[in-house]
Amino acid sequence: LLEGRVVSLSGLRYLADREERLSQWKRQLQAACASDLADLQEWSHLLEPFGLTTAPQEQAPLLEQRQALQTANQEAEVAALTFVRHELESLDQFGAACRVPRVEEVLRAV
């Protein structure tokens, strides 16, 4: 690799330091991806009974994978919030449709 080239001690130290920083960043990204994937799997488990799904994840370079997982988690949260909002609206509509205007009518019906 360095055949015929002179490498200084400071150059070697720089390369070793750079390699250590890149390795540390890679470990941090791997840990973040593992955490994001666990969150996405939890969202998938919670949403499954309601017929909602999360986007399947493909293998990609770490930075792209991290972005994809963060996006998928955000989309899952939005889907859950939207579902809950629609369910609450449906319950409100059902309650309004079933509400008896006066208590006396209910008592007479019993």
Side-chain angles (χ1 to χ4, degrees), residues 88-105:
L88 289 173
E89 288 172 4
S90 294
L91 284 172
D92 285 343
Q93 291 172 358
F94 177 76
C98 293
R99 193 165 295 138
V100 177
R102 294 193 315 244
V103 175
E104 294 86 26
E105 291 179 30

Side-chain angles (χ1 to χ4, degrees), residues 36-68:
D36 289 342
L37 183 58
D39 289 346
L40 185 61
Q41 288 171 339
E42 185 176 349
W43 273 117
S44 182
H45 177 73
L46 292 171
L47 295 174
E48 185 180 8
F50 303 104
L52 302 172
T53 59
T54 58
Q57 296 304 303
E58 300 175 9
Q59 286 292 351
L62 280 175
L63 285 175
E64 292 176 23
Q65 185 179 9
R66 177 82 200 280
Q67 266 186 323

Side-chain angles (χ1 to χ4, degrees), residues 6-40:
V6 177
V7 178
S8 69
L9 187 56
S10 64
L12 288 174
R13 285 183 186 137
Y14 169 79
L15 289 175
D17 181 56
R18 178 96 172 125
E19 189 273 334
E20 178 57 34
R21 284 185 282 144
L22 288 173
S23 293
Q24 183 180 14
W25 186 34
K26 180 181 178 182
R27 288 189 297 272
Q28 290 171 344
L29 281 172
Q30 288 171 329
C33 284
S35 176
D36 289 342
L37 183 58
D39 289 346
L40 185 61

